[in-house]
Amino acid sequence: MTTTVVVTGLGIAAPNGLGTQDYWAATRTGKNGIGRVTRFDPSSYPSTLAGEVPGFVAADVLPSRLLPQTDHMTRMALVAAEWALADAGIDPKELPEYDMGVVTASSSGGFEFGQGELEKLWSQGSQYVSAYQSFAWFYAVNSGQISIRNGLKGPSGVIVSDEAGGLDAVAHGRRLIRKGTPMIVSGGVDASICPWGWVAQMAGDRLSTSDEPTRAYLPFDADAAGYVPGEGGAILIMESAESACARGAKIYGEIAGYGSTFDPRPGSDREPALRKAIELALADAGTAPEDVDVVFADAAGVPELDRVEADAISAVFGVRGVPVTAPKTMTGRLYSGAAPLDVATALLAIEEGLIPPTVHINPDEEYGLDLVLNQSRTAQVRTALVLARGYGGFNSAVVVRAVDTGTPPAPNAPETPETPD
């Protein structure tokens, strides 16, 4: 039998809300979190908009000793993990030290911290570079700092596959629980809103150059011309359903299915592999397409990528066959933090029976999608599909499903391969 893995805690830091309650209140009503960059002066760059997390003051919520050794993203990740653990009703000090691990995703590492130390190296000399530079910039730093701060010595790691990594990390956390680790902290928080990070993002040639916050990031719109980047994400507490029920924990839902694929090389005659990732995730969950109540789209905001995603969704569910939403139009694309935030949003949608909206867009009907636009749609949401793609060809899909908390959920069907042969 396969262990059922559920989510029992959420911690969110997003451009339109700090904390789960504020984020959901903003998202369900379509509140925009995109604006002109404030973390540095963007006036000399073609792209000037971002989704920045409001009201986050690290010194108010973290010990002063941690501030000199952490990047902005790690500080947010530490706080989000603390909130998630509290939400799950877990005090790590009360657990056996090897019973909980940490698996997060990262796209860039601590770029802002790294930029500051490189500036010292170039302008003052190597003796002025902080010893913390050795790890504060690193992809695995969020997993490491969360683990150290909370005394978590179970299996840990980091997944680096751009935006798809957020789902890959959740899936790896599920895999570790099925192998016997009782609990996993998972998800992702990213932040690269600094000149060094900005130039790196612009190099992909996919950033919007619009200076109008409500018309800059327009997935599935005829005027789509790139995306707006953002910072933040979500940290999730995952555990077996048996563990959650035994301790009387609130269960948000089940991580029911996962599929991942890699696109063929550009210029080949092979089709993009997002559809296959969807099919693998549904098969892993034992879920038919008609059972899916909503799809949380990757929503690239780049016309050719939007077309690939729309075609994949229509191929699996039929033209306008399932409600589709992209709440990230309120936040920008958060890299490794985007998909965990969508998973958290899907769980909150299941809890309330409400699909949050895609904002600001005038959809191109040729995409053939039933987009939930401008305001939330009341619906019974029992099963949601979350999609994410990473730069370079990564595709991932996760099925999130409601759980009847009155009785322990039944085990899933046997696992299917996560990638095609």
Side-chain angles (χ1 to χ4, degrees):
M1 290 294 195
T2 304
T3 301
T4 298
V5 177
V6 298
V7 176
T8 55
L10 301 175
I12 293 174
N16 63 341
L18 185 58
T20 300
Q21 183 175 352
D22 286 350
Y23 167 73
W24 182 240
T27 299
R28 68 189 301 283
T29 56
K31 180 181 177 182
N32 183 36
I34 292 172
R36 185 176 173 85
V37 171
T38 64
R39 295 192 65 80
F40 67 95
D41 180 5
S43 58
S44 61
Y45 298 87
S47 300
T48 60
L49 301 179
E52 296 180 330
V53 175
F56 180 77
V57 181
D60 291 346
V61 288
L62 290 173
S64 59
R65 63 178 176 79
L66 279 176
L67 302 184
Q69 60 180 279
T70 50
D71 182 78
H72 177 59
M73 72 161 191
T74 301
R75 297 166 185 172
M76 288 193 292
L78 285 167
V79 173
E82 184 177 309
W83 289 341
L85 287 165
D87 187 36
I90 294 172
D91 182 351
K93 296 182 180 65
E94 298 177 354
L95 298 175
E97 58 186 1
Y98 292 97
D99 273 13
M100 197 169 202
V102 185
V103 180
T104 66
S106 180
S107 181
S108 60
F111 266 29
E112 187 173 45
F113 190 102
Q115 177 178 326
E117 298 311 308
L118 287 173
E119 288 175 349
K120 292 176 186 177
L121 174 65
W122 296 332
S123 63
Q124 297 175 274
S126 59
Q127 67 269 32
Y128 292 93
V129 177
S130 169
Y132 297 126
Q133 168 72 351
S134 61
F135 61 80
W137 71 272
F138 191 50
Y139 297 104
V141 66
N142 288 357
S143 290
Q145 289 284 19
I146 291 170
S147 175
I148 292 167
R149 179 162 170 74
N150 295 284
L152 309 178
K153 297 184 179 180
S156 297
V158 62
I159 307 295
V160 183
S161 46
D162 196 34
E163 294 225 3
L167 295 185
D168 298 336
V170 168
H172 188 54
R174 183 180 72 151
R175 188 180 301 116
L176 291 172
I177 291 170
R178 286 178 168 180
K179 288 182 177 180
T181 302
M183 300 174 183
I184 290 287
V185 178
S186 192
V189 174
D190 239 328
S192 294
I193 303 178
C194 63
W196 184 24
W198 208 245
V199 171
Q201 293 171 82
M202 288 173 55
D205 199 28
R206 293 181 180 177
L207 261 59
S208 170
T209 57
S210 171
D211 59 2
E212 173 49 58
T214 61
R215 294 297 294 168
Y217 175 32
L218 305 170
F220 310 113
D221 189 304
D223 293 333
Y227 67 88
V228 172
E231 64 179 13
I235 297 296
L236 287 64
I237 306 302
M238 300 163 56
E239 59 186 295
S240 69
E242 182 181 8
S243 165
C245 291
R247 65 186 189 87
K250 173 183 176 178
I251 295 176
Y252 284 98
E254 173 192 359
I255 305 299
Y258 167 66
S260 65
T261 58
F262 196 77
D263 284 335
R265 65 174 178 83
S268 73
D269 293 331
R270 296 170 59 196
E271 294 183 359
L274 179 61
R275 174 182 176 178
K276 184 63 175 178
I278 296 171
E279 292 170 343
L280 287 168
L282 294 176
D284 186 31
T287 296
E290 57 267 27
D291 295 328
V292 174
D293 300 303
V294 60
V295 173
F296 283 76
D298 175 68
V302 177
E304 57 268 29
L305 296 177
D306 288 347
R307 169 53 61 191
V308 168
E309 184 170 29
D311 287 349
I313 293 171
S314 294
V316 175
F317 299 99
V319 176
R320 298 178 178 83
V322 64
V324 177
T325 188
K328 58 173 64 74
T329 50
M330 306 174 217
T331 64
R333 290 174 65 82
L334 312 184
Y335 295 96
S336 70
L341 184 60
D342 274 349
V343 170
T345 308
L347 293 167
L348 294 168
I350 288 170
E351 182 176 54
E352 185 165 340
L354 178 149
I355 301 173
T358 306
V359 299
H360 305 147
I361 74 166
N362 298 314
D364 186 337
E365 295 301 321
E366 291 188 2
Y367 285 115
L369 297 177
D370 175 19
L371 284 160
V372 178
L373 298 172
N374 301 321
Q375 60 183 19
S376 297
R377 182 185 300 180
T378 301
Q380 183 181 43
V381 182
R382 299 285 297 173
T383 303
L385 175 70
V386 179
L387 305 179
R389 292 174 291 177
Y391 189 85
F394 299 98
N395 304 287
S396 294
V398 159
V399 176
V400 180
R401 188 160 55 202
V403 170
D404 180 3
T405 56
T407 57
N412 287 344
E415 289 188 272
T416 57
E418 293 166 357
T419 55
D421 293 332

